[in-house]
Amino acid sequence: MERFFQEGPEILPLDEDRPDGFIASPKWKAAIALAMKGHEKATQYLISKSRQQIDPMNPVVLIEVFSQLTMVRTRPIVDFLIEFLYSDRKYVGLGHMEESDFNRAYMTLYGLIEGIRGTHGVKNATRAWMDQNRTSYKIIKQ
């Protein structure tokens, strides 16, 4: 895995035209596997690459990245996902319904953080809960 992470391509030729094509790369997959074991450089790569690739005009990438990152379940990755709870960015999502960073983050974190469900996805309640529990939240084990 380490070799794929260090030397693997960031994107495969067949995936170059897909906005979320980087997720299929050997480097990304190796980084996911290593980050699950606490590999710091792989974790930082996932966060950095996600920041670069998430496009406010294309929520599909956001959804795919969040889905991939839920496998890692480490504090740095969950902290990265939490950042999106504080975003008010909205966009047209799948099926032409309005989506937002907050909704996507809440739906992702719902299955990752103990106790967040009690806020029922109400923006002010969720943010207040997170402000209070930011340093003490517990990650739900798989």
Side-chain angles (χ1 to χ4, degrees):
M1 279 299 139
E2 185 73 41
R3 195 174 101 226
F4 279 117
F5 175 62
Q6 296 297 329
E7 301 170 13
E10 295 246 347
I11 194 160
L12 298 170
L14 291 174
D15 297 316
E16 287 177 352
D17 293 331
R18 287 181 31 223
D20 62 346
F22 66 97
I23 290 172
S25 77
K27 184 173 183 109
W28 177 269
K29 289 180 180 189
I32 290 283
L34 291 169
M36 289 170 72
K37 296 180 182 214
H39 192 284
E40 193 173 313
K41 284 186 179 181
T43 299
Q44 289 309 311
Y45 169 78
L46 292 170
I47 292 169
S48 174
K49 188 70 171 177
S50 296
R51 284 191 204 285
Q52 292 170 9
Q53 299 297 322
I54 291 174
D55 178 359
M57 301 310 291
N58 189 347
V60 171
V61 176
L62 180 83
I63 293 165
E64 287 299 319
V65 166
F66 279 18
S67 174
Q68 292 277 314
L69 294 180
T70 60
M71 293 185 283
V72 179
R73 292 184 188 249
T74 62
R75 193 163 282 275
I77 293 294
V78 174
D79 284 344
F80 170 70
L81 297 171
I82 288 170
E83 290 176 25
F84 290 85
L85 286 177
Y86 296 92
S87 171
D88 290 319
R89 182 173 54 189
K90 294 181 180 181
Y91 42 85
V92 176
L94 302 174
H96 305 289
M97 295 183 69
E98 185 175 270
E99 285 275 3
S100 69
D101 286 354
F102 173 84
N103 289 341
R104 277 286 136 206
Y106 176 77
M107 290 174 66
T108 302
L109 294 167
Y110 182 89
L112 291 175
I113 297 177
E114 252 180 51
I116 199 169
R117 294 176 184 180
T119 67
H120 304 290
V122 176
K123 192 181 288 187
N124 291 339
T126 301
R127 288 176 177 174
W129 186 91
M130 189 49 64
D131 289 343
Q132 189 173 24
N133 295 284
R134 186 72 185 247
T135 59
S136 62
Y137 68 83
K138 290 186 175 53
I139 298 172
I140 299 168
K141 300 294 179 201
Q142 288 181 309

